[in-house]
Amino acid sequence: MRILLATGAMYPEPGGAPIVAPHAGLAASDAAAALLAGWRARRDDDVLVALPIPDGGPGTAQAIGADHVSARRALQAYSPLGEVREVDLLQLRGASGARAREGVGRTWLLDAARLTAVPADVDLAAREAREGTTDGLGEALAQALTLVGAGDTLVVGLARSAVHDGGRGLLDGLGGPTAAHALFEGREVLLALADGIALGGLAGAGQALTTLTALSPAEAQERDRLACTAASQAIGLIGAPRRGALAMAGSAGDSEDRLSISSWGTGAAGGGAAVLRALGARAVPGARVMAHLLGLDDAVNGQDLVVTSAGEVYDVLADSVIAVVGTAAGALALPTVLVAGRSLVPRGELAEAGIVSSYALEDAGAGIAVDWNEGGPTAVEERLFTMGSRLARSWSR
């Protein structure tokens, strides 16, 4: 039997956004490895292929296997509070840039979300919201764009953050509007967004600050007001093109003619995505673009079963890893099984996304765990090993 492990990352989401921290959960590649080991322990004659599917969030670069990477560079940049961090820049093997001519253009990936990952400590997250800046993110992008050649494509992974400066720091880190336009010239910049949330509005990124951080509702509202003002001013300084140059398939909710703080995908990195879209970057759901770059459709072909994973599932978004994997498998009439830390999604909704069966680590009836991530990554790996063995017993033939 042939099984594809097209796993997503498994992290807790106490505030509606994954908390990517060393003690919090597992990257997509680690989830795949644990399930694979558990399956092989019971059925070592099956053929298993691991193809982790990151969504553009923190740690995306680490989830990409070496066979997809032709070069890797570590860039140094500052976190929102001024700590030096390393962020990976990968040249992807076999992927041509969007503006390539005769296959010359290359595709690069910058794991930019790693610089602005939401801290697990809500007090530290509140400090990032009050004092943090996306200046370091702009500096990292400037370094990457300098290394990316004309005709190349730079894929920038971005996610929701605690820092919330409207992207004004990012624009400064790029050297201002004129320097930023020069860096973008001749290069395609694609934003792989783990979260398509808008910056402003009743359901915007600022509204989540009270759950992601220790900010009071009044303070979160003021931070959001300042961020939205800063983003609007930055968009005005840049001179954003009309939406036709920025549009992406499936960006529901963008009915106005020009880019604004309420547009789809402007809330990532505290509004940094709004600035990048104003500069001409295209925004795409991260799971979709990563599945394309990693060849998910080809990998699904010839399999008998597909297994995917997620940390906490409360609904199935159309552009999530779950839906992207389920759709790819469903196109070939292949069953897809979901392994989640916690899942509260009805069976019917999962079926619509191509998921035929779902298993939750926190399900006491499975004898695995009550709190799925209790004990940290090592404990989660052990539970996934057990789950992999259980899947082999149930599905292998």
Side-chain angles (χ1 to χ4, degrees):
M1 185 173 182
R2 299 180 62 87
I3 303 95
L4 177 69
L5 300 172
T7 49
M10 299 184 69
Y11 292 107
E13 300 184 21
I19 301 299
V20 182
H23 61 279
L26 294 180
S29 53
D30 295 328
L35 286 169
L36 186 150
W39 189 296
R40 282 185 173 162
R42 178 166 289 272
R43 291 296 300 267
D44 62 358
D45 55 335
D46 287 336
V47 179
L48 292 102
V49 176
L51 183 70
I53 306 293
D55 64 1
T60 286
Q62 284 68 42
I64 299 176
D67 54 332
H68 292 283
V69 178
S70 59
R72 185 186 296 262
R73 296 192 60 164
L75 307 182
Q76 288 195 336
Y78 290 104
S79 73
L81 295 177
E83 297 178 350
V84 177
R85 291 181 183 171
E86 284 191 348
V87 56
D88 289 319
L89 175 67
L90 311 182
Q91 182 184 334
L92 301 182
R93 191 186 307 276
S96 296
R99 296 182 179 179
R101 295 294 182 268
E102 299 179 355
V104 174
R106 301 163 296 180
T107 297
W108 304 74
L109 171 72
L110 180 67
D111 193 358
R114 191 173 179 184
L115 282 174
T116 57
V118 179
D121 185 327
V122 293
D123 292 317
L124 179 58
R127 188 180 164 208
E128 284 197 0
R130 295 186 188 105
E131 308 169 19
T133 173
T134 53
D135 186 273
L137 180 57
E139 292 176 358
L141 282 164
Q143 293 179 59
L145 288 166
T146 300
L147 295 168
V148 170
D152 288 357
T153 295
L154 176 64
V155 179
V156 181
L158 289 177
R160 205 181 302 194
S161 66
V163 62
H164 200 68
D165 68 351
R168 187 56 191 265
L170 183 149
L171 186 58
D172 291 340
L174 287 170
T178 301
H181 279 299
L183 287 167
F184 272 62
E185 184 65 30
R187 297 159 178 81
E188 181 82 4
V189 178
L190 192 67
L191 307 183
L193 301 181
D195 191 331
I197 196 168
L199 176 61
L202 293 177
Q207 300 304 309
L209 290 178
T210 54
T211 52
L212 293 175
T213 77
L215 293 181
S216 67
E219 192 173 7
Q221 185 176 19
E222 177 61 12
R223 298 310 310 169
D224 191 40
R225 183 189 68 79
L226 293 172
C228 289
T229 299
S232 296
Q233 291 173 346
I235 291 171
L237 284 172
I238 293 167
R242 300 185 73 80
R243 172 80 32 70
L246 300 167
M248 49 134 306
S251 54
D254 283 0
S255 58
E256 70 271 28
D257 195 41
R258 295 190 66 87
L259 181 71
S260 73
I261 58 172
S262 60
S263 297
W264 184 94
T266 53
V275 169
L276 294 173
R277 290 194 66 189
L279 287 165
R282 294 190 297 121
V284 179
R288 279 193 190 183
V289 69
M290 295 312 304
H292 172 72
L293 291 173
L294 297 176
L296 175 63
D297 287 341
D298 289 339
V300 166
N301 193 27
Q303 304 296 328
D304 298 305
L305 176 71
V306 178
V307 178
T308 190
S309 65
E312 300 186 3
V313 186
Y314 303 103
D315 54 15
V316 180
L317 301 179
D319 298 312
S320 64
V321 170
I322 296 171
V324 169
V325 172
T327 299
L332 297 179
L334 294 175
T336 299
V337 171
L338 168 66
V339 175
R342 174 181 299 128
S343 179
L344 300 178
V345 181
R347 182 176 300 178
E349 186 175 340
L350 288 172
E352 291 177 1
I355 306 299
V356 300
S357 188
S358 175
Y359 300 80
L361 297 186
E362 74 168 10
D363 181 2
I368 295 177
V370 174
D371 187 353
W372 74 272
N373 65 326
E374 182 179 356
T378 300
V380 176
E381 287 179 334
E382 292 173 354
R383 291 162 193 150
L384 285 175
F385 179 95
T386 302
M387 181 62 75
S389 179
R390 177 184 176 188
L391 292 177
R393 184 175 66 249
S394 300
W395 289 89
S396 185
R397 60 177 187 273

